[in-house]
Amino acid sequence: MVGLKPSDVPPPLGVKMASAGAAACVADLFTFPLDTAKVRLQIQGEMKGVEGIRYRGVFGTISTMIRTEGPRSLYNGLVAGLQRQVCFASIRIGLYDTVKDFYTGGKDKPGVLVRILAGCTTGAMAVSFAQPTDVVKVRFQAQMNLDGVARRYTGTMQAYKHIFQNEGIRGLWKGTLPNITRNALVNCTELVTYDLIKEAILRHNLMSDNLPCHFVSAFGAGFVTTVIASPVDVVKTRYMNSPPGQYKSAINCAWTMMTKEGPTAFYKGFVPSFLRLGSWNVVMFVSFEQIKRDSHFKIWLKNLNHHWVGTLLKKYQFTF
């Protein structure tokens, strides 16, 4: 069997949340350039003041960015991205099983509707908490590192401070509604599809509960998720990156895109979205499955009980 064996005892909530956050950060380190390329393609059509630069396809966008801005531009906003994953993934993925059990009363084999409801719930909860990190990440990815082009932000903390001072608390939570919609769709589609594919593979004895099974399940979930969530993702990116006053609301942003650029605008950046979500899911879910089974990781978390982090974990009843 490939990879660590599943434990007979399900990991507790604290292990799941810490595993999800750690796995998501690992996935972001590998796939962040694809996410940056996706953002650039999604905002293309509204970029002003930049002459002669046009992005064509995911790899064309990456090569253009390297040629015009340098390789480091592919990781614009990485710090905010990692901050986002620590807050975001630990809630939306780590709490998924717990919320699912809550809705079913602990019954085995919950239905699809219960899984969808659990995915939407944890996705919405995660966005409500981690939205400022997403706003800063998107704005960093959108800004260009070119001579003669003014940069909006110079550092992550400066970006949080600048947005708060100039746009208020609402600026940090800008685009929360479309982001909740997008992430509720992504979360329930991603987790439910992964669950269903994995269960079907195991039920028909096509594979064991190991790395190949996790790989296939995660890649399939990434494709389905991209198809469903891309339109909302484009609107979310455009709206969060927009300066104050450009759009009255997320709906106005969507309507402006439709009237000025047509329906295909909602699938701008589809290929990098799929490549990113597919590869992100593979790295994240494979890492998540292995980390939560790793006895050394559980021991490390248990040792945190001797420090201040352990005190916080005990306060919220996260036992190991």
Side-chain angles (χ1 to χ4, degrees), residues 66 76 78 270 297 311:
I66 292 174
N76 277 353
L78 177 62
F270 178 84
F297 185 70
T311 303

Side-chain angles (χ1 to χ4, degrees), residues 25-255:
C25 287
V26 172
D28 245 26
L29 289 173
F30 282 96
T31 64
F32 204 81
L34 292 171
D35 191 43
T36 303
K38 177 202 74 171
V39 169
R40 292 293 181 92
L41 285 167
Q42 287 176 337
I43 65 171
Q44 187 162 253
E46 67 172 17
M47 295 168 61
K48 299 178 181 179
V50 180
E51 301 275 337
I53 294 181
R54 180 169 178 78
Y55 303 120
R56 300 179 186 276
V58 55
F59 298 111
T61 300
I62 290 174
S63 63
T64 298
M65 290 181 64
I66 292 174
R67 186 178 68 253
T68 58
E69 304 174 57
R72 293 182 61 182
S73 64
L74 298 175
Y75 281 90
N76 277 353
L78 177 62
V79 173
L82 295 178
Q83 292 171 349
R84 175 182 180 270
Q85 293 301 350
V86 168
C87 301
F88 189 72
S90 60
I91 295 174
R92 79 176 182 93
I93 298 173
L95 284 177
Y96 172 69
D97 287 334
T98 302
V99 173
K100 186 171 61 177
D101 291 341
F102 172 77
Y103 286 139
T104 61
K107 296 179 181 178
D108 292 334
K109 297 181 179 180
V112 174
L113 290 179
V114 171
R115 297 172 196 242
I116 290 174
L117 181 59
C120 289
T121 300
T122 58
M125 289 170 60
V127 171
S128 300
F129 181 69
Q131 180 67 8
T133 62
D134 207 10
V135 171
V136 171
K137 178 184 80 78
V138 166
R139 293 196 182 186
F140 261 102
Q141 290 175 312
Q143 75 176 5
M144 306 187 77
N145 303 327
L146 294 173
D147 293 335
V149 177
R151 299 186 66 188
R152 297 169 78 179
Y153 312 110
T154 57
T156 304
M157 299 311 297
Q158 183 266 338
Y160 288 117
K161 181 179 179 181
H162 184 274
I163 293 171
F164 177 73
Q165 290 178 337
N166 290 273
E167 302 175 45
I169 195 72
R170 293 180 63 183
L172 290 171
W173 265 267
K174 187 173 187 178
T176 299
L177 182 58
N179 207 14
I180 284 178
T181 305
R182 184 256 182 190
N183 280 289
L185 284 173
V186 167
N187 205 45
C188 69
T189 307
E190 191 176 76
L191 295 175
V192 172
T193 306
Y194 178 82
D195 253 3
L196 294 175
I197 293 175
K198 180 181 173 183
E199 285 182 6
I201 290 173
L202 297 177
R203 185 170 60 251
H204 292 92
N205 295 317
L206 300 176
M207 298 178 185
S208 300
D209 189 1
N210 54 18
L211 290 181
C213 173
H214 305 155
F215 180 95
V216 172
S217 303
F219 198 75
F223 178 77
V224 175
T225 303
T226 307
V227 172
I228 293 175
S230 275
V232 182
D233 189 34
V234 175
V235 173
K236 177 214 75 165
T237 300
R238 289 278 188 101
Y239 187 60
M240 287 199 308
N241 184 59
S242 65
Q246 182 173 353
Y247 302 115
K248 295 178 182 178
S249 64
I251 294 176
N252 174 250
C253 177
W255 177 251

Side-chain angles (χ1 to χ4, degrees), residues 5-16:
K5 295 181 180 180
S7 173
D8 293 332
V9 180
L13 179 59
V15 171
K16 288 181 181 179

